[in-house]
Amino acid sequence: MSESSFESVEKTLEAHVPEAELKELKRILYGKDLKKLILPQSAVEAAQDRDFDLQGYVFEAAPEQLRPPKIVRVGLIQNKIVLPTDAPVLDQITALHKRVGEMVEVAALCGVNIVCFQEAWTMPFAFCTREKGPWTEFAESAEEGLTTRFCKELAKKYNMVVVSPILERDEIHGGTLWNTAVVVSNSGNVLGKSRKNHIPRVGDFNESTYYMEGNTGHRVFQTQFGKIGVNICFGRHHPLNWFMYSMHGAEIIFNPSATVIALSEPMWSIEARNAAIANHCFTCAINRVGTEYFKNEFTSGDGKKAHHDLGRFYGSSYVAAPDGSRSPGLSRIRDGLLVVELDLNLNQQIADKWNFKMTGRYEMYADELTKAVQDDFKPNIVKE
Ligand SMILES: NC(=O)NCCC(=O)O
């Protein structure tokens, strides 16, 4: 079987492992065999007609005496680009709006309260090319751009918080480009924006050619459905980046991404899951699917022959919980919508059990980190 026809670990396990062993296998692999979310027939049929993977799961928490359950439904959307990368810019953007819009409509049928799209969802992941045009033309104002106006309509229509990661053009600062997640409240107003803190310099991910390291810190958005942070793509390799969103109170941290098989697939199932465990919160990892071809060949100074694509984006979007459990992943090859129902009370329940926040030695780390970034830092190494 080729890498392009291997749909998911879960499908293969379900096809080949006997029922009794499958249950135990899922417990070991995923922490528990999560309850499936019953989704409306209209949503299931629409997903079939529109040709995307639709899955739903429930993360439960124990009942408490003083606090009611804090239930929220989250939707993660992964997709291929719709038009070829040399189609006119506006046509590409409009086609993606249409495709993702029809997926959001299904999310609404499933009762989703907060939806998050993949990194730079309105464009091909053209940062590999290092060419400026036409790719910088995909950049838009976070507050007034075409895409934000589109998301405001979705948010209002479906009473849904929309997390929309775009390439941002910041006109009031000389047209600076940023890699930004715009958070639109379910009221239809822009709640704010959060910029990607870490820029990859690995393989074909030549993103420093395009945008700057974010300057919005680890901002957390208080929505009607819970406090959310957005740790964009490469930030997932940085445990302190996750940690700081959680320090600011994030109950759910989204990780909209764009990453390919050869580079990161072995890391994918570990990093967001570990962050959920370490920070007593939920994490949502989203990756695009498909292979995107660019007319002009490019190289990345790594000795490889010039090529026209980054390789295959492997989807596999999933949600991880503070107790170490996780949902199955969406397809590696198809567009998909993952709907999860979370009880946010689980965060405090697990915090009270494991006490990572309480036992963290933050003053000690802060003191040592402060010294470690000084020019005259002396590593604390004892030698004979
Ligand atoms: N978009 C992005 O930051 N990709 C880098 C590759 C990775 O982090 O796996």
Side-chain angles (χ1 to χ4, degrees):
M1 174 178 280
S2 73
E3 64 163 38
S4 58
S5 54
F6 188 84
E7 175 139 16
S8 69
V9 170
E10 294 78 9
K11 278 232 157 117
T12 300
L13 290 176
E14 265 154 34
H16 300 289
V17 178
E19 187 76 30
E21 286 160 47
L22 188 61
K23 208 170 164 54
E24 190 58 4
L25 202 72
K26 283 190 180 167
R27 187 190 62 75
I28 295 167
L29 280 179
Y30 299 126
K32 56 174 82 131
D33 192 4
L34 291 179
K35 230 169 53 188
K36 287 219 164 106
L37 186 61
I38 312 289
L39 299 171
Q41 192 52 29
S42 55
V44 174
E45 281 165 17
Q48 257 160 21
D49 288 351
R50 297 168 191 186
D51 191 21
F52 64 84
D53 184 17
L54 173 64
Q55 299 187 39
Y57 302 95
V58 184
F59 288 92
E60 291 169 307
E64 297 182 16
Q65 294 187 30
L66 300 183
R67 297 191 308 172
K70 200 169 171 194
I71 305 293
V72 53
R73 283 198 187 180
V74 171
L76 278 50
I77 289 183
Q78 64 173 43
N79 59 282
K80 300 186 193 82
I81 54 170
V82 178
L83 296 180
T85 60
D86 57 355
V89 170
L90 189 57
D91 291 357
Q92 292 191 57
I93 296 175
T94 312
L96 280 160
H97 284 186
K98 183 170 175 296
R99 175 60 171 160
V100 170
E102 67 187 22
M103 296 174 82
V104 173
E105 189 179 18
V106 177
L109 290 173
C110 297
V112 163
N113 306 115
I114 307 176
V115 70
C116 183
F117 309 146
Q118 64 201 20
E119 181 183 19
W121 73 276
T122 59
M123 61 183 291
F125 217 70
F127 306 138
C128 51
T129 66
R130 278 178 279 143
E131 294 165 349
K132 293 296 174 103
W135 318 120
T136 56
E137 289 192 62
F138 283 87
E140 300 180 43
S141 155
E143 291 76 19
E144 316 282 347
L146 189 64
T147 296
T148 296
R149 278 184 273 137
F150 173 72
C151 291
K152 287 168 79 164
E153 288 306 314
L154 292 177
K156 245 192 322 218
K157 180 167 176 192
Y158 300 124
N159 188 31
M160 204 184 281
V161 173
V162 178
V163 182
S164 166
I166 57 166
L167 185 63
E168 177 195 359
R169 185 176 296 283
D170 177 8
E171 292 293 359
I172 49 174
H173 294 103
T176 303
L177 300 183
W178 310 93
N179 186 322
T180 300
V182 182
V183 178
V184 181
S185 163
N186 54 315
S187 65
N189 296 323
V190 174
L191 192 53
K193 59 189 176 188
S194 179
R195 291 172 172 153
K196 181 173 176 176
N197 285 326
H198 303 276
I199 306 184
R201 292 165 173 83
V202 57
D204 286 330
F205 288 84
N206 299 313
E207 301 179 33
S208 58
T209 307
Y210 295 89
Y211 61 86
M212 297 304 291
E213 263 97 5
N215 59 358
T216 50
H218 297 87
R219 187 170 283 173
V220 163
F221 301 90
Q222 172 81 69
T223 75
Q224 186 189 319
F225 310 109
K227 294 201 277 297
I228 64 173
V230 194
N231 176 5
I232 302 177
C233 196
F234 197 69
R236 83 179 173 283
H237 309 302
H238 293 269
L240 286 180
N241 207 45
W242 294 101
F243 171 72
M244 289 310 299
Y245 291 104
S246 130
M247 266 293 182
H248 284 280
E251 296 170 289
I252 307 169
I253 307 175
F254 292 94
N255 176 232
S257 298
T259 187
V260 292
I261 296 175
L263 186 66
S264 64
E265 201 167 14
M267 303 172 174
W268 180 252
S269 59
I270 299 167
E271 291 170 310
R273 190 177 186 186
N274 185 53
I277 298 169
N279 297 300
H280 302 315
C281 65
F282 287 92
T283 59
C284 302
I286 305 160
N287 186 24
R288 61 176 64 200
V289 277
T291 305
E292 300 171 2
Y293 296 96
F294 298 94
K295 202 169 75 196
N296 300 330
E297 289 177 305
F298 54 88
T299 60
S300 293
D302 54 6
K304 292 200 182 131
K305 275 195 7 211
H307 41 291
H308 289 272
D309 66 270
L310 268 163
R312 227 162 44 75
F313 297 97
Y314 53 84
S316 308
S317 304
Y318 71 100
V319 174
D323 62 359
S325 62
R326 58 155 286 184
S327 74
L330 285 177
S331 168
R332 293 174 72 256
I333 52 186
R334 295 177 68 212
D335 289 7
L337 164 65
L338 177 62
V339 180
V340 289
E341 183 175 287
L342 317 174
D343 184 343
L344 296 178
N345 281 354
L346 191 63
N347 291 345
Q348 185 179 292
Q349 292 175 11
I350 297 299
D352 286 350
K353 176 175 175 184
W354 283 94
N355 309 124
F356 296 149
K357 286 265 167 68
M358 209 155 85
T359 57
R361 300 293 307 277
Y362 304 127
E363 281 174 5
M364 188 164 78
Y365 309 146
D367 182 50
E368 291 186 39
L369 274 173
T370 306
K371 290 181 184 143
V373 297
Q374 303 303 318
D375 276 347
D376 61 355
F377 173 57
K378 301 222 175 357
N380 186 355
I381 300 173
V382 179
K383 297 180 187 151
E384 193 169 334

